[in-house]
Each structure stands twice: as C-alpha cells, then as structure tokens.
Amino acid sequence: MVAENYKIVEQKICEACERSGRKRSEVTLIAVSKTKPIAMIQEAMQAGAEVFGENKVQELCEKYEVLPKNLHWHLIGHLQRNKVKYVVDKAELIHSVDSLRLAQEISKEAIKKQLEINILIEVNVAEEESKFGTTLEDTETLIREIAKLPGICIKGLMTIAPYVEDPEENRMVFRTLKKLAVDIKMKNIDNVHMKVLSMGMTGDYQVAIEEGATMVRVGTGIFGERNYAI
C-alpha cells in the first residue's frame, strides 16, 4: 500500500510541476513518517523515498539509529529548547524555528559540535492561534537577528496552512509565503538564502507546488491515516 501511495503522490507532484512550468527536480518530497513503524518506512524507501520528516525529536533519533545512514531526516515539528542537543547532528534541516531563543540554543549546540545547522523560519501566515510560527510582520526582524548567530544557516521559510476541505482555500497562504521569501531575498541579508519554501501537506501539496513550494510534507497520502493511540 505504501509503495503504491508513494507512486501516486509522485505522479501528482509531476502533474503540478507540469501545470506550473517547473521541473520535477525543483520539489523535494518529504515522507512524513511520524508514528509510523520502521517496516512502513522501509516500504517507502523501496518505492524511492529518501527524505523523511518527523515531528518529535525522540522518534527521529530512534529511527535514525536503526535505519540506513544514507537517509535524509528533517525535523518538521515544534522543537523545544531542551531537545535541541539531541537532534542537531541528526536532522539535515530543522523546519520549525520561530524564536530567537530557540535559534540561540541551536547555535550554542552547533558550536559545541562544530556543525553548521540548516534551518527554516516557521511563519504562521494564517495567524491560527493553535499553530506555532512567527508573524508575517515579525519575520524579517527575526531573520536579521538569527542570521548573526554562528553555526546556523537560514535556508528559507516554512508554514503550516490551515486544514481545509478545498485546497484552493490555501492558495493565498502559499502565495503570501512565496512573496515574503522573494521580498527577503531581495534584501541580500548575510547568511540568509531563501532557497527553500516548505509548504503544502497531503491535502494541498499540489496547490503549494503551483505557488512555488520547493518542499512538500506528505504523511497521510503516503502512509495512510495515523493512529495516535499507539
């Protein structure tokens, strides 16, 4: 089932790229494997998946230890400062940096481990109270402060769009994040790249791609519904 689902998602990504005049190589598919067992991840790997996203540090670390080291792990969930030390040398990209204090902790651990940590700034575009992320208005100021920290490289922006029945409802959210990224890129801030736009999930990743996403985070579409009672 996982392999079939993965191929369907791949096909839909290709179609969205075609519609928007983009190359398939411009979009990274992140298979969101949170709460899913190793066996299902292995099935996704056999279908071609190499990039996996986890919400929780502990789960990412556990899977990192037992699965092949050629996989690429992304931390896409909220990161608490006291968990930073466990994940900086395992996650290739941290998607969810939304405060200077968190960035300072990442910088501290990066220096300690002599690493450069790639991060995205999480923006709460839709201003949902239930979501983390900085505001649109505060994003540039936050980026300018974080960019000064050693051991960190800002690669772009991330957002979690609202849950909607019709993905078209999120088009403006994605368009807004893309515009923000373009605006910030034009300011040529040192240590800030704006190459990555992580936006779009199972319900709306095709619309996100049409609006410029370079990374889409697909979990349910690949692995099926989650059982949080496990």
Side-chain angles (χ1 to χ4, degrees), residues 58-201:
Q58 187 180 344
E59 203 174 341
L60 187 152
C61 292
E62 286 168 0
K63 289 171 179 174
Y64 177 91
E65 294 304 336
V66 298
L67 284 158
K69 290 296 174 273
N70 63 336
L71 297 181
H72 308 279
W73 291 98
H74 291 206
L75 185 75
I76 60 174
H78 180 63
L79 177 57
Q80 294 166 297
R81 294 197 306 281
N82 63 348
K83 301 275 178 70
V84 168
K85 60 188 171 195
Y86 303 114
V87 81
V88 288
D89 56 350
K90 297 176 182 70
E92 224 168 81
L93 184 63
I94 297 172
H95 289 233
S96 48
V97 178
D98 62 355
S99 72
L100 182 59
R101 287 176 74 194
L102 174 57
Q104 286 167 336
E105 191 62 37
I106 293 169
S107 174
K108 191 175 92 180
E109 290 300 327
I111 294 162
K112 217 184 274 184
K113 294 187 162 82
Q114 295 183 303
L115 297 166
E116 182 169 85
I117 313 301
N118 295 322
I119 67 163
L120 303 180
I121 303 301
E122 182 174 358
V123 186
N124 187 349
V125 177
E127 297 180 353
E128 290 184 279
E129 283 183 21
S130 60
K131 301 256 171 73
F132 292 100
T134 187
T135 63
L136 285 165
E137 297 74 30
D138 292 343
T139 302
E140 186 185 329
T141 304
L142 180 63
I143 282 174
R144 286 183 182 277
E145 289 172 337
I146 292 174
K148 296 172 194 164
L149 298 172
I152 284 184
C153 186
I154 300 172
K155 292 291 187 182
L157 305 176
M158 176 267 227
T159 197
I160 300 172
Y163 176 77
V164 290
E165 292 293 333
D166 178 6
E168 284 296 329
E169 289 178 39
N170 279 336
R171 192 175 288 278
M172 272 316 294
V173 171
F174 302 139
R175 197 169 286 174
T176 302
L177 194 73
K178 169 72 175 179
K179 183 182 180 304
L180 180 63
V182 170
D183 290 347
I184 290 168
K185 187 179 181 181
M186 285 172 69
K187 295 188 175 163
N188 291 317
I189 306 165
D190 283 349
N191 197 28
V192 177
H193 298 279
M194 292 295 121
K195 286 181 180 169
V196 178
L197 269 185
S198 170
M199 56 188 194
M201 292 158 65

Side-chain angles (χ1 to χ4, degrees), residues 6 29-34 44 49 51-54 216-219 222-223:
Y6 188 85
L29 170 56
I30 301 170
V32 180
S33 47
K34 62 180 182 181
V51 186
F52 291 90
E54 287 290 336
V216 291
R217 311 179 303 268
V218 181
I222 295 170
F223 296 104

